[in-house]
Amino acid sequence: MSVNILSEPTNETLSSKQAIWQQIDDFALDALYDELNLENKPGLVCPSSNGSHSDMNHDTFIASITSLRGYFATLSEFGYENRAFVDLKNKGIYQEIKMRQATNNVNTHKGAIFNLGFASAAIGKCLQQNQSLTTQNICAQIVNSWQYDLTHHLERKADSHGQQMYKKYGVTGAIEMVSNGFQIIQNTALPCFYDTFYRTQDFEKAAMQTLMILISALSDTNLVWRGGIKDLMNAQMMAKQFLQAGGVYQSNWRQAVSTVNQYFIHCNLSPGGSADLLAVTIFFYKVENEFNNPV
Ligand SMILES: CC(C)(COP(=O)(O)OP(=O)(O)OC[C@H]1O[C@@H](n2cnc3c(N)ncnc32)[C@H](O[C@H]2O[C@H](COP(=O)(O)OP(=O)(O)OP(=O)(O)O)[C@@H](O)[C@H]2O)[C@@H]1O)[C@@H](O)C(=O)NCCC(=O)NCCS
Ligand SMILES: Nc1ncnc2[nH]cnc12
């Protein structure tokens, strides 16, 4: 699908563009709500549980998502306008401040601001170049536009959990995930989501199967931060065992998920990175299947 909105900015054109940015913002927020509201996620916050967290709950995440409204619209517009990397970075830093103001300084979506922010900006670039909104095109835009800047011009804060884990264990995290164009989503998570949704016609099953495949394969720096490489590997093993036993295709799949969840909570494990990438996967699915061409 290509959207030709290149024209002299008339009122109609401007409203069409605004409508597009608003759609992207809605897709991103809806994806974050879908992730949050998926019940019984291992170690993660959901409507019925705080998972492995004492500092945040469902309301904290609702407040966080509410604070993000408009951010992804702005980032997609920035991409369309070919704004400089530093403008995207500064907008992201500002949004992190707004998030913390809304959550009593709890880190709920720092990674999601980054991950979904660049995905939104890449969509703006695709539209500017009249490229169809496929996940492959969007991720190629990220690599072509910002891989160098992300690798050379993004300040890596030495005290961040991710950078401390990179220094201690050499595990890569969000920066490498985005700068390499979400390879795990393109190659594994999104195909899993499509396949499970097609076979089961059940969004909840598709989301849970996708989350588990992400946990099984991702170098999630949240898991490493809380429990070291050992806990990351144990978490990955638990998710692999769930999938190898049949995943959501098991008749007792909810019980099987609960077993993993209880283990994660017992070990204080929280795969926040995998949760974010589930949201990004759902976002790409929505963009590919629900984007409405206003012109
Ligand atoms: C690029 C930044 C995200 C900074 O990256 P850095 O590596 O320095 O990281 P962290 O501060 O550790 O944040 C990384 C967050 O990214 C998520 N994540 C983890 N692993 C991966 C991965 N392999 N791929 C993708 N994403 C990953 C994860 O975010 C989610 O989890 C957090 C909530 O969980 P929780 O356990 O509560 O986390 P903590 O509070 O840290 O632990 P506890 O104290 O509770 O135990 C939440 O952030 C979720 O989103 C990682 O936390 C970026 O911040 C940056 O540099 N920004 C600069 C501005 C910018 O460029 N913005 C972009 C504009 S478009
Ligand atoms: N539902 C969730 N629970 C805990 N950390 C998260 N990071 C992103 N989504 C999360």
Side-chain angles (χ1 to χ4, degrees):
M1 166 197 313
S2 69
V3 176
N4 182 5
I5 55 176
L6 273 177
S7 63
E8 281 305 311
T10 63
N11 286 340
E12 185 178 347
T13 309
L14 286 173
S15 63
S16 294
K17 288 181 186 171
Q18 293 309 323
I20 288 174
W21 313 144
Q22 186 58 55
Q23 272 193 83
I24 304 308
D25 204 67
D26 291 343
F27 289 153
L29 297 181
D30 289 347
L32 290 170
Y33 281 120
D34 286 340
E35 178 277 304
L36 173 62
N37 291 327
L38 180 64
E39 279 288 7
N40 214 13
K41 297 185 296 288
L44 295 163
V45 173
C46 66
S48 64
S49 168
N50 299 344
S52 303
H53 296 272
S54 58
D55 63 343
M56 56 191 186
N57 58 29
H58 188 259
D59 289 341
T60 317
F61 274 86
I62 293 292
S64 179
I65 295 171
T66 303
S67 79
L68 301 180
R69 181 166 294 283
Y71 168 69
F72 302 106
T74 300
L75 266 288
S76 53
E77 189 171 17
F78 276 17
Y80 181 81
E81 294 173 346
N82 203 30
R83 295 283 286 269
F85 175 79
V86 67
D87 293 339
L88 277 61
K89 185 175 76 171
N90 289 339
K91 189 64 181 175
I93 290 170
Y94 174 70
Q95 188 58 47
E96 283 178 30
I97 293 168
K98 281 185 67 179
M99 173 200 75
R100 289 186 179 275
Q101 288 171 344
T103 64
N104 195 26
N105 201 33
V106 170
N107 170 23
T108 44
H109 285 121
K110 182 181 177 188
I113 287 168
F114 182 72
N115 289 318
L116 281 169
F118 275 101
S120 300
I123 288 172
K125 278 194 172 276
C126 285
L127 293 172
Q128 205 282 330
Q129 297 169 20
N130 278 320
Q131 285 189 349
S132 55
L133 295 186
T134 64
T135 300
Q136 184 177 5
N137 285 346
I138 296 165
C139 293
Q141 278 291 352
I142 293 174
V143 174
N144 297 335
S145 305
W146 299 301
Q147 184 173 68
Y148 184 84
D149 284 320
L150 286 166
T151 308
H152 298 88
H153 298 154
L154 182 65
E155 180 206 353
R156 291 170 181 256
K157 295 197 171 78
D159 65 342
S160 77
H161 295 174
Q163 293 315 300
Q164 289 182 63
M165 296 304 97
Y166 179 74
K167 184 176 181 183
K168 185 172 183 180
Y169 298 109
V171 289
T172 58
I175 298 172
E176 293 78 13
M177 176 60 63
V178 173
S179 64
N180 291 320
F182 293 112
Q183 287 301 310
I184 195 173
I185 292 181
Q186 290 193 74
N187 300 331
T188 305
L190 190 58
C192 172
F193 186 85
Y194 269 111
D195 180 58
T196 310
F197 201 17
Y198 176 74
R199 288 168 63 185
T200 66
Q201 296 298 302
D202 185 322
F203 183 92
E204 182 188 14
K205 287 184 178 179
M208 185 58 76
Q209 188 83 351
T210 303
L211 177 63
M212 287 294 195
I213 210 166
L214 283 164
I215 295 171
S216 74
L218 186 69
S219 67
D220 192 322
T221 57
N222 291 67
L223 291 171
V224 185
W225 167 255
R226 285 178 170 233
I229 291 293
K230 165 183 62 63
D231 276 10
L232 170 66
M233 295 177 73
N234 287 341
Q236 291 176 335
M237 180 190 66
M238 289 291 287
K240 284 173 186 168
Q241 287 177 350
F242 169 82
L243 295 166
Q244 287 163 358
V248 296
Y249 298 98
Q250 302 171 88
S251 55
N252 65 334
W253 72 272
R254 293 182 191 277
Q255 181 54 51
V257 169
S258 289
T259 301
V260 179
N261 188 20
Q262 289 158 25
Y263 174 86
F264 273 48
I265 292 173
H266 176 71
C267 299
N268 192 39
L269 297 175
S270 175
S274 299
D276 279 350
L277 294 185
L278 172 62
V280 176
T281 302
I282 295 170
F283 174 72
F284 284 143
Y285 175 84
K286 289 176 181 288
V287 170
E288 288 190 338
N289 293 277
E290 300 172 18
F291 183 73
N292 171 38
N293 178 346
V295 291

